[in-house]
Amino acid sequence: MQPIANRMLNYLQPQMYAKFTMLANQKGCINLGQGFPNFPSPQMIRDALSEEAQTESLQYTMTSGHPKLLHSASKFFEQQIGCKINVDKEIMVSSGAQAVLSCVMQGVLNPGDEVILFDPAFDLYRPMIEFQGARHIGIPIIPKKLNNKQEIIKRFKDGKFQYSQDDDWELDFNYLERVINKKTKLLLLNSPMNPIGKVFSTEEYNQLADILDKHPQVVVCEDAAYHHITFGKYQPFNYPRCITHPRLKDRTVCVTSAGKMYSSTGLRVGFAVGNEEIIKGIKAAQTYHIFCLNPVIQTATAKCLDQTLDGKYFQSVKNLYEEQANMLLKGLVESRLNMNYWVPQGGYFKYFDDNGNRLTRDFAFAYYMINEFGVVCIPCSPYYENKQLGQNYVRWAFCKTTETIQEAINRLK
């Protein structure tokens, strides 16, 4: 007897992040792999949870979300992003951005539909698509140039990295136009991108709109989990976006994460904002998925959104991550590792290649780093449809304390 569904057979082993975190713990490594902050969550989250636990009802809430949270989130997104949201029809809440994405897949996709991803794409997407009986197609985003140590060092001024006005990555729109067809139902993009930190430009969205105008059946899912962490010319929440693009917004559902926003990845509160007709299907999926979310966590999150409406907290987060990114990047270019680097426009990961010659060299390099240096990074081939395209890259997370990053730097010297 085979009690496990066939679609699950490829996913029975521990996820890559869990595997490398276990290795880090076993070998006493510095973990710059999995992207969770290792510094304390903001006190306002703890205070809000404590206060709400004493007063908030512990009964079911509305499937789409607690009214307090829906109103606070709508007001916040209007203030920070410029989206005016109908609270009753254009927003829903679920147990983290991952659960929201799961509801998006269930609410939008039919068996046999096709989904376009831009590679490297977060490795969570492909299993979700497959579980709906749909097919994923990865379109690689290609680096325009290599940034070696010397070039990176030149871009430091007074100890601070000077961000380029140009994007280091480009999308092949001709390729996109060739693969999109009448079976394409969903286009899923992540901006800022995990793992490369690319932020899509207005010009790229204009080109995307030109293509999608010919395919009215395509829904766009904008995964904006890192919309509060942007660098260089971009400010938190304020960068080119599908959900505010005049030609894309009506076909877009934007997914965000309160856990990411408040450096509390265990909070598990995620949002979907978008066109009423798209949200309707996502709400229906939620009804038969988790039904509703813990009320205390929702009202506590509402309090935090109200307290940070002016955006000052998120500016401090941006400043912190820029400092940590500078520290890690400087430490890497001064280390024994001979790498090419790509510096993100957003998110909290850095990206570079290892120039090795072995098959699946990204995994070989990651294991080498663990065993020889005691520092963990994440291989990037799982983010690609064509694994060979991703085998030259590994990802480092800088959402860590100064002490953690400094210890990693010391081990790499």
Side-chain angles (χ1 to χ4, degrees):
M1 181 182 72
Q2 173 53 274
I4 299 170
N6 290 338
R7 67 180 180 275
M8 298 301 299
L9 294 177
N10 291 331
Y11 302 103
L12 298 180
Q13 298 302 313
Q15 198 181 20
M16 170 177 64
Y17 311 103
K19 193 178 294 183
F20 278 94
T21 295
M22 285 189 287
L23 278 172
N25 293 336
Q26 289 168 9
K27 295 178 176 288
C29 296
I30 301 299
N31 190 354
L32 301 185
Q34 192 168 3
F36 60 84
N38 73 333
F39 45 81
S41 299
Q43 189 60 40
M44 65 177 162
I45 282 278
R46 296 184 181 279
D47 291 343
L49 286 168
S50 177
E51 291 163 7
E52 293 301 307
Q54 300 304 315
T55 58
E56 179 56 44
S57 167
L58 297 180
Q59 307 306 325
Y60 296 133
T61 61
M62 291 168 49
T63 295
S64 59
H66 195 293
K68 286 183 181 178
L69 180 55
L70 293 176
H71 281 87
S72 292
S74 297
K75 185 177 179 182
F76 184 92
F77 291 139
E78 182 176 357
Q79 171 84 7
Q80 296 298 334
I81 302 174
C83 293
K84 191 163 182 61
I85 298 165
N86 183 319
V87 174
D88 297 320
K89 299 178 179 180
E90 296 175 335
I91 185 171
M92 61 84 69
V93 181
S94 194
S95 182
Q98 180 168 340
V100 175
L101 286 167
S102 181
C103 290
V104 170
M105 304 297 179
Q106 292 173 33
V108 171
L109 296 177
N110 295 305
D113 286 343
E114 293 183 356
V115 180
I116 288 176
L117 305 174
F118 296 130
D119 287 344
F122 187 36
D123 62 331
L124 169 76
Y125 301 152
R126 288 187 167 89
M128 285 186 169
I129 294 165
E130 292 171 11
F131 295 164
Q132 301 309 312
R135 177 173 174 248
H136 44 77
I137 299 170
I139 298 179
I141 293 178
I142 306 299
K144 295 178 183 178
K145 63 176 182 175
L146 300 179
N147 300 308
N148 61 32
K149 280 189 175 187
Q150 289 69 35
E151 290 169 331
I152 292 293
I153 290 169
K154 288 177 187 175
R155 288 167 67 181
F156 272 94
K157 185 176 181 181
D158 298 326
K160 188 173 182 180
F161 183 77
Q162 304 300 302
Y163 287 85
S164 170
Q165 294 298 304
D166 300 321
D167 189 356
D168 285 340
W169 301 82
E170 61 183 348
L171 175 61
D172 187 344
F173 283 96
N174 292 326
Y175 186 15
L176 173 59
E177 198 148 22
R178 288 198 302 273
V179 301
I180 195 169
N181 62 78
K182 63 182 181 181
K183 290 184 179 179
T184 307
K185 184 65 180 295
L186 184 67
L187 185 147
L188 203 171
L189 63 83
N190 178 208
S191 181
M193 280 183 79
N194 176 11
I196 61 176
K198 173 183 170 62
V199 171
F200 287 83
S201 67
T202 300
E203 293 73 22
E204 287 173 316
Y205 284 141
N206 290 340
Q207 288 181 268
L208 181 60
D210 289 340
I211 295 171
L212 292 183
D213 280 347
K214 305 168 192 172
H215 302 275
Q217 82 282 3
V218 177
V219 172
V220 176
C221 180
E222 177 186 24
D223 179 353
Y226 300 100
H227 65 164
H228 59 298
I229 307 173
T230 51
F231 306 126
K233 61 184 177 181
Y234 299 121
Q235 295 300 313
F237 309 106
N238 188 10
Y239 59 92
R241 308 183 67 142
C242 285
I243 195 63
T244 54
H245 190 281
R247 294 168 60 199
L248 294 173
K249 62 183 181 181
D250 288 341
R251 64 164 81 217
T252 295
V253 55
C254 179
V255 177
T256 61
S257 165
K260 286 285 198 296
M261 286 166 59
Y262 295 107
S263 303
S264 305
T265 55
L267 191 63
R268 311 312 297 154
V269 175
F271 306 95
V273 172
N275 181 295
E276 174 187 354
E277 292 306 309
I278 305 172
I279 295 294
K280 191 184 298 182
I282 301 170
K283 283 183 183 179
Q286 165 98 325
T287 302
Y288 302 101
H289 185 44
I290 66 167
F291 182 65
C292 70
L293 188 58
N294 180 302
V296 171
I297 293 174
Q298 291 190 76
T299 54
T301 301
K303 274 192 171 181
C304 292
L305 289 169
D306 293 343
Q307 290 174 31
T308 57
L309 187 61
D310 62 6
K312 292 178 182 178
Y313 165 78
F314 297 102
Q315 190 62 49
S316 70
V317 171
K318 169 188 168 76
N319 294 340
L320 168 67
Y321 281 134
E322 281 193 338
E323 290 174 9
Q324 303 308 81
N326 281 333
M327 182 180 181
L328 177 58
L329 181 60
K330 192 169 186 295
L332 288 171
V333 297
E334 292 175 353
S335 74
R336 289 178 282 167
L337 304 175
N338 186 22
M339 303 290 165
N340 296 304
Y341 298 84
W342 288 272
V343 180
Q345 296 171 300
Y348 42 55
F349 305 110
K350 292 203 176 297
Y351 199 57
F352 64 89
D353 77 348
D354 61 54
N355 293 316
N357 296 306
R358 294 180 58 187
L359 187 64
T360 61
R361 55 177 68 107
D362 56 332
F363 275 90
F365 178 79
Y367 286 123
Y368 168 76
M369 291 299 300
I370 288 170
N371 291 313
E372 300 299 327
F373 290 89
V375 180
V376 176
C377 55
I378 288 293
C380 286
S381 57
Y383 293 90
Y384 285 81
E385 192 93 30
N386 179 348
K387 307 304 179 190
Q388 298 300 311
L389 292 177
Q391 70 170 345
N392 288 337
Y393 308 119
V394 296
R395 186 194 83 178
W396 301 85
F398 53 81
C399 51
K400 310 296 179 183
T401 63
T402 297
E403 292 76 16
T404 298
I405 295 174
Q406 187 58 60
E407 178 56 26
I409 291 169
N410 292 342
R411 294 185 182 197
L412 296 174
K413 283 183 179 177

